[in-house]
Amino acid sequence: LVAEAEAEKANAFFTTSTHNAYLTPARDDLPPTHVLNRQITSTKGCITTDQVPSVSALHTIYDSDSFRRFLAAIVAEDALYEYADPLSSINVHFADEGQELGWHFDNSSFAVTLLLQAPRKGGQFQYVRDLRDADAGDMNYQGVGDVLDGDIAPCNLAINPGTLVLFRGRNSIHRVTPTIGPLTRILVVLAYNNAPGISLSEAARMTFFGRLG
């Protein structure tokens, strides 16, 4: 899988973006120092579902009924479904030296990742559990600001290549620290929905993939 990913890396869409921890637009009615206006940098490359070779084991894993039932049981969903658009179901992320994923909350309720290759240093997955309660409308701006300022020590999740991780990032802020050294961090994201027929928004596809399909 590593060789397969590296063979497709030249086709990856690399982007550097800035965002706040909530992945929401900045607020002109708030001061620049407010956590909603504090910009965080994320840099990575990505190949999409349609760029993953059709014979790849990643498709076999993703499409497996038993694997989906296994995931659904863990996350307490009746069933899981692929994205309706051709880009968003399987993504392979590349983080070269100096690239990172900045602090943020996920919009989705859970994420499934598979680490293919770890860098020699850096590329550490860090998180602070249950820092907000999005469903209750508790955004905890003070707590998020403390994380950004380094006043709250995050947890570190030790991940070795081949590790499958299910993570609930909607309320737990998280990041991946910059890659150190020439060995690229390669991570697969397997994305599912709890209902059929859902596509990632066009704006998100343009931001993350540079195209709609």
Side-chain angles (χ1 to χ4, degrees), residues 48-51 84-88 199-202 204-206 209-213:
T48 54
T49 311
D50 61 343
Q51 294 173 304
D85 69 80
L87 307 181
S88 306
S199 296
L200 194 66
S201 71
E202 291 189 357
R205 274 180 276 164
M206 288 303 299
F209 312 138
R211 59 194 176 98
L212 297 179

Side-chain angles (χ1 to χ4, degrees), residues 10-185:
N11 298 318
F13 176 70
F14 280 85
T15 182
T16 298
S17 60
T18 59
H19 53 84
N20 65 25
Y22 300 88
L23 303 181
T24 58
R27 292 273 299 274
D28 292 337
D29 58 321
L30 296 172
T33 55
H34 192 280
V35 70
L36 289 178
N37 289 327
R38 294 180 63 174
Q39 293 299 294
I40 302 160
T41 299
S42 289
T43 54
K44 68 176 186 297
C46 180
I47 62 172
T48 54
T49 311
D50 61 343
Q51 294 173 304
V52 176
S54 59
V55 296
S56 173
L58 294 178
H59 285 291
T60 303
I61 295 168
Y62 185 90
D63 294 334
S64 167
D65 289 336
S66 58
F67 184 63
R68 291 194 191 191
R69 288 195 299 269
F70 165 72
L71 296 178
I74 292 175
V75 299
E77 295 286 355
D78 292 333
L80 297 178
Y81 302 88
E82 65 186 24
Y83 273 83
D85 69 80
L87 307 181
S88 306
S89 295
I90 305 172
N91 292 161
V92 182
H93 292 178
F94 303 90
D96 291 332
E97 185 165 17
Q99 294 186 321
E100 63 183 305
L101 187 63
W103 285 113
H104 68 286
F105 296 100
D106 289 341
N107 290 320
S108 58
S109 60
F110 69 93
V112 182
T113 64
L114 174 65
L115 184 66
L116 298 186
Q117 180 170 275
R120 292 189 176 93
K121 292 183 179 180
Q124 179 69 55
F125 185 87
Q126 298 182 327
Y127 66 97
V128 178
R129 184 174 181 177
D130 296 335
L131 193 64
R132 72 168 182 176
D133 187 343
D135 292 333
D138 178 9
M139 297 295 105
N140 191 8
Y141 297 138
Q142 180 62 52
V144 171
D146 289 342
V147 171
L148 299 184
D149 291 335
D151 294 331
I152 294 178
C155 298
N156 293 292
L157 182 63
I159 306 175
N160 296 316
T163 301
L164 184 75
V165 174
L166 279 72
F167 181 75
R168 290 193 179 275
R170 180 169 165 79
N171 290 319
S172 297
I173 196 170
H174 52 287
R175 72 170 178 177
V176 178
T177 62
T179 294
I180 300 173
L183 193 62
T184 299
R185 185 180 193 266

